C-alpha cells in the first residue's frame, strides 16, 4: 500500500508539472538538469568556485536532492571579455575526489549543447583544487548568460552529454551568471608557430609560418612580425594586410630558416601592431624544433659530445636529459664531455616509463 500511495503521489506531482510546463513553456525553453543516484550529503560536492569575480568558498552540499542543484545566479556574476582567457579554480569537499567541468550558454539559447560551450576543468583529490582556463569565443553573444559547474565522484571525465544525464553516481551542480563584454580596442596576438616542426633530414630552406589572431574589437591595419632562431638576429617583415576583429591569418615569412645541421633549434617570434593595448600576447618564446638526422651509413655511432644527436625523449615522467652528468652514480660520460642520462644530477623519477 505504501508503494502504491507513493507512486500515486509522484504521479500527481508529475501531472501537475506537465500541466505547468504546457501552460508556461511556450515562452522559452528551460535549462535541463542531470540527476544523481545519491544526495550530495555523501560529501560529494563543489566546495568552492573562483572565476572572474565569483568567489564562492566553503559552500558544502548546498541543496541535496535528485539533481543536487544550487542556483547562485542571484548572488554571483562573473564578468568576462570575449577573446580573453580567465582562470577558473574549483575544489571538492575534504573527503572525496571529484571531476569538474564548466559550461557557458554563449548563444543564449537556454542549453549547453553547442560547440564551444563545454570546458573540461579536470580532477582534484578531496581537499585539493584544480585550475583551468575559460575563453569566450568570438561568436559569443554579449550580456548576461548562464554558467554551470558540475562535478562527479572519481576521476572519470564528465562530457558535454552528461549535462542533462540521468543516473549519475555522486556529485553536485551549481549555476551562476556570466556577463560577457565585447573586446575593446586593438589587440593582436601571436598564437603559435605553424611551421617548421620536428622532422627528419631538414634543409637550409625551411618555411617559417606563424599564426596571428585579432583578439581586439577593432580591425588591425597591418603589422610587423619577426622571428629568430637560437637568439640570433631577428628576421622582420612589415605587412599591410588588414585583419578584421575576431579573425586570424597565417603569415609566411619570405626568408626561410636554415636548419640543415642535425640539432635542436629554438624559435622565438614577436608581433608589433600600431595602437596595440595588450603586449602580453605579442610574443612566442622557446618553440623547439629538432632536425633528426637521417642515418644512411651503418654501423651508426654517436657519442653526443657535439650535440644531442637528434635524439628526443618521451614517455611517462621522463627524466632523460642531454648534458654533462654530475650525479652520484653517473658523474661522467663515456667520452668527454656529454651524454644522455636519466637525470643528469640525480636519480631517475619514481614510476618513470620513458
Amino acid at each position: 500500500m505504501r508503494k502504491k500511495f507513493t507512486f500515486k503521489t509522484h504521479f500527481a506531482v508529475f501531472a501537475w508539472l506537465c500541466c505547468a510546463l504546457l501552460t508556461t513553456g511556450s515562452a522559452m525553453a528551460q535549462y535541463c538538469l542531470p540527476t544523481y543516484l545519491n544526495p550530495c550529503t555523501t560529501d560529494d560536492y563543489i566546495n568552492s568556485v573562483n572565476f572572474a569575480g565569483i568567489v564562492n568558498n566553503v559552500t558544502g552540499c548546498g541543496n541535496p536532492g535528485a539533481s543536487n542543484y544550487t542556483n547562485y545566479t542571484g548572488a554571483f556574476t562573473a564578468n568576462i571579455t570575449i577573446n580573453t582567457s580567465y582562470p577558473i579554480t574549483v575544489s571538492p569537499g575534504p573527503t572525496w575526489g571529484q571531476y569538474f567541468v564548466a559550461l557557458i550558454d554563449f548563444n543564449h539559447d537556454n542549453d549547453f549543447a553547442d560547440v564551444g560551450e563545454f570546458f573540461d576543468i579536470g580532477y582534484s583529490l578531496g581537499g585539493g583544487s584544480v585550475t583551468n582556463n575559460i575563453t569566450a569565443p568570438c561568436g559569443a553573444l554579449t550580456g548576461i548568460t548562464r554558467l554551470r559547474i558540475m562535478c562527479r565522484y572519481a576521476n572519470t571525465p564528465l562530457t558535454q552529454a552528461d549535462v542533462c544525464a540521468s543516473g549519475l553516481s555522486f556529485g553536485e551542480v551549481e549555476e551562476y551568471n556570466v556577463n560577457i563584454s565585447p573586446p575593446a580596442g586593438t589587440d593582436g596576438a601571436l598564437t603559435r608557430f605553424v611551421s617548421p616542426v620536428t622532422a627528419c633530414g631538414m634543409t637550409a630552406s625551411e618555411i617559417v609560418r606563424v599564426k596571428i589572431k585579432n583578439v581586439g574589437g577593432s580591425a588591425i591595419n597591418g603589422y610587423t612580425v619577426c622571428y629568430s632562431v637560437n637568439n640570433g638576429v631577428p628576421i622582420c617583415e612589415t605587412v599591410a594586410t588588414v585583419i578584421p576583429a575576431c579573425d586570424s591569418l597565417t603569415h609566411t615569412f619570405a626568408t626561410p630558416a636554415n636548419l640543415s645541421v642535425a640539432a635542436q633549434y629554438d624559435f622565438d617570434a614577436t608581433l608589433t601592431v600600431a595602437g596595440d593595448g595588450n603586449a602580453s600576447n605579442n610574443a612566442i618564446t622557446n618553440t623547439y624544433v629538432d632536425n633528426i638526422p637521417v642515418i644512411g651509413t651503418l654501423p651508426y655511432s654517436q657519442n653526443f659530445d657535439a650535440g644531442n644527436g637528434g635524439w628526443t625523449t618521451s614517455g611517462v615522467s621522463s627524466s632523460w636529459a642531454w648534458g654533462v652528468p654530475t650525479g652520484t652514480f653517473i658523474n661522467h660520460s663515456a667520452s668527454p664531455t656529454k651524454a644522455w642520462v636519466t637525470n643528469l644530477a640525480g636519480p631517475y623519477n619514481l614510476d618513470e616509463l620513458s
Side-chain angles (χ1 to χ4, degrees), residues 188-277:
L190 276 174
T191 60
R192 64 187 178 94
F193 275 93
V194 178
S195 66
V197 295
T198 293
C200 294
M202 303 181 82
T203 70
S205 300
E206 295 294 327
I207 295 174
V208 180
R209 296 187 176 98
V210 292
K211 189 71 172 287
I212 302 171
K213 188 173 183 180
N214 183 352
V215 296
S218 305
I220 291 174
N221 296 300
Y223 57 87
T224 298
V225 63
C226 307
Y227 83 88
S228 63
V229 183
N230 295 337
N231 296 314
V233 177
I235 305 297
C236 297
E237 297 178 2
T238 298
V239 183
T241 301
V242 175
I243 309 176
C246 281
D247 204 353
S248 61
L249 61 77
T250 298
H251 177 82
T252 302
F253 285 90
T255 303
N258 183 353
L259 308 184
S260 57
V261 176
Q264 183 175 80
Y265 296 87
D266 181 5
F267 278 77
D268 299 328
T270 59
L271 174 70
T272 302
V273 175
D276 196 325

Side-chain angles (χ1 to χ4, degrees), residues 45-60 70 72 76-78 87-92 100-102 121 128-131 134 147-151 172-178:
Y45 51 76
I46 303 163
N47 203 32
S48 69
V49 174
N50 289 264
F51 172 63
I54 295 174
V55 180
N56 194 22
N57 295 327
V58 197
T59 56
T70 304
Y72 288 110
F76 298 96
T77 298
I88 180 169
T89 300
V90 293
S91 65
F100 293 89
V101 297
I121 302 176
S129 66
V130 60
T131 300
I134 288 178
L147 161 69
R148 174 173 293 182
I149 310 294
M150 289 180 63
C151 76
E172 190 186 14
V173 178
E174 294 181 356
E175 285 190 354
Y176 300 84
N177 275 339
V178 178

